[in-house]
Amino acid sequence: MGQFLDKTIKDVVENMNQRYFLPDIQREYVWLSKPKENKIEEFFDSILRGYPIGSFLFWKLNKNDFETSAESTVDSGKLNFQLYKFIENFDERKPHNEKISIDQINVDELSVVLDGQQRITSLYIGLKGSRTLKRPYGRWDDPNAFEEKHLYLNIRYAPVADDPEKNNYEFKFKGEGDDLSADDSHYWFKVREILRLNSINSYARKNDLSDDDIEVLEKLQNACCRDWLISYFEEKEKSLDKVLQIFIRVNSGGTQLSYSDMLMSILTATFSTDIRKNMNEFVDTFSVNGFGVMGRDQVLKTCLLLSECDTKFILKNFNKANIGRVEKNWRNITDAISSAIKLLGEFGYRDMLSSAYIVSVVAMAMHRFGEGAAKRDRDELRKFVRNAQITGYFSASLDTKLAIFANAFSDAESFSDINQKLAVHPSSPLKVSNDDIEGMLERGYGYAVFPVLQALYADIDFSTQAFHVDHIYPRSKFTGPNKQVPDGHHGNANLLYNLQLLPGETNQEKSDKDPEEWLKYHFGNDADKIRAYKEANYIPADFELTWENLEEFEEKRRERILEKLKSVFLQK
């Protein structure tokens, strides 16, 4: 029988990763996935304001209740699931919890946290650790783009009013380059120091603090070190089935446990290898390479698809037989997904892919037809990706459409067969209609217009160099006081008629130059090359690209683009 108990924040924080651990069924820490929401800062503000911070659920166990590595070959009858450490120093390049074995734990009594991970991790980061995030516009491969910061409290912050919608206390993460100077309205106290501050009065005398400053520090010390703010229910029964039911029930609100979190925990407990670590490393590579759309959930779906299982996220599809298939095929599955990502990169879709389901289908082709598909079926695969992006095919009825593809693959000999079957499918045809083509002319800058430009520039090889979506008339000059822009055109800079594909280096050279100015800069006085450039970009060879001619330019280029798109998509 469990019971409710209380502890101080300090009691819990100082025993993190020594007595308190996470089970493998817990999802990972997410409060810093959107740092602009300031969830940690608001949480600490709530604590100082005396707001309730919710209850917690701990599972009290003894170290001897767990199966150890020495017992792993026999049926010991003990608990057999993986524990993980809490994150102390969060780094978004390595945002995953570290695995710990029972043999590494040095205490006998453990508390496994079933509810409250996000709040407890935030306390840990604020009172013991740090957080490292990428600066805005920084590059992931640049170590200098990442800043380590610690949590500080401005003890001289004076809110305008006691507004429950706004913070009463100013908590901020600050690093080496941030201003920590003191003045009448600022004194930045490093929050972690409160755990080892024996005498606030002594600290106040050394740092010339006022009575108001001392009052804030005393409130922080009481909240973290003296008041019993951690109210928790302690479950003692050693039944994993019961605890799983409790876990699912308590995680039906708050930061919800996604279904894939539960399914991932089943894989973690069932796989003979560390599937969670492998999955994290696998998925992390996608973001770095421009395919962050392919997350863990979609990898799990792709595992089911490539193992010829039902892809719906329901528990019965993660039965022992299906998990055995996934583990047996894990290497082939990940190779197929990696090959799909590589091919999509060669097609130019880095940071341009609208749906991860496209990756799953291309991976299925790699798995079904082998590496030769990347060469033999290259044009058909590119046609599928282009058409799926243009029509928004994977925007609804996703599991149904994945099942349609699985069925189409069952007797197909090439991806050409797949495209032919899908084009005439009675309920979900994948083809570009005349209405779709008319709509393409109104598409704007971004991943929605990229496949259209691919159709217009079919001869471009994206595998040899990077190409950028470029504005023929510079976008920057459509706004502001530019009186050359005709009435009604100020919001049209991003439309298809003004877009082209240029090699990345050429686009950087072009910058914000007006089109005729850039053509003379790029081609010199070679009139033939300028004429050839215009013809290749659906512009009449002798047309002068001036602002006065913008309306006529739009009309003529839209006409040429429409003719080309119809020839590409409506050919018999």
Side-chain angles (χ1 to χ4, degrees), residues 219-237:
K219 187 171 288 191
L220 179 65
Q221 187 178 60
N222 288 336
C224 293
C225 307
R226 294 172 182 161
D227 297 339
W228 289 14
L229 298 184
I230 302 292
S231 180
Y232 64 99
F233 182 83
E234 190 173 75
E235 176 59 50
K236 296 182 179 180
E237 190 170 334

Side-chain angles (χ1 to χ4, degrees), residues 286-346:
F286 300 149
S287 294
V288 174
N289 291 315
F291 291 94
V293 66
M294 189 67 177
R296 188 186 68 184
D297 290 16
Q298 196 64 28
V299 173
L300 287 173
K301 276 190 176 290
T302 310
C303 285
L304 293 174
L305 177 69
L306 272 56
S307 299
E308 299 182 5
C309 305
D310 188 338
T311 59
K312 292 186 180 68
F313 267 12
I314 52 179
L315 280 173
K316 73 175 185 179
N317 289 336
F318 280 75
N319 55 49
K320 191 171 184 178
N322 285 352
I323 292 173
R325 283 184 178 182
V326 171
E327 181 166 21
K328 182 179 178 181
N329 293 315
W330 176 252
R331 179 62 183 272
N332 291 334
I333 291 169
T334 53
D335 284 349
I337 295 173
S338 296
S339 296
I341 293 289
K342 181 175 182 291
L343 185 64
L344 289 164
E346 291 174 0

Side-chain angles (χ1 to χ4, degrees), residues 59-66 79 102 107-110 238:
W59 188 14
K60 186 176 182 181
L61 294 169
N62 192 283
K63 184 178 176 180
N64 292 329
D65 295 329
F66 287 84
L79 294 169
I102 296 299
V107 299
D108 291 329
E109 291 189 344
L110 310 180
K238 297 174 179 58

Side-chain angles (χ1 to χ4, degrees), residues 11-25:
D11 285 338
V12 173
V13 166
E14 292 196 332
N15 282 285
M16 303 282 280
N17 296 337
Q18 298 178 56
R19 186 179 307 280
Y20 294 92
F21 298 96
L22 290 167
D24 52 25
I25 54 176

Side-chain angles (χ1 to χ4, degrees), residues 527-565:
D528 289 338
K529 286 185 178 180
I530 292 175
R531 288 169 58 86
Y533 158 83
K534 290 181 179 180
E535 285 289 348
N537 285 279
Y538 305 95
I539 305 167
D542 296 318
F543 190 85
E544 190 173 2
L545 297 169
T546 62
W547 287 100
E548 291 80 4
N549 291 338
L550 181 63
E551 287 184 286
E552 186 180 356
F553 164 76
E554 177 183 2
E555 179 184 344
K556 291 182 179 296
R557 193 161 189 258
R558 284 172 68 100
E559 186 178 293
R560 289 191 170 206
I561 285 174
L562 186 61
E563 181 182 357
K564 174 65 176 179
L565 292 176

Side-chain angles (χ1 to χ4, degrees), residues 238-254:
K238 297 174 179 58
S239 167
L240 184 57
D241 287 339
K242 178 182 178 181
V243 166
L244 280 174
Q245 292 302 317
I246 294 173
F247 185 76
I248 293 170
R249 181 67 60 86
V250 300
N251 279 280
S252 62

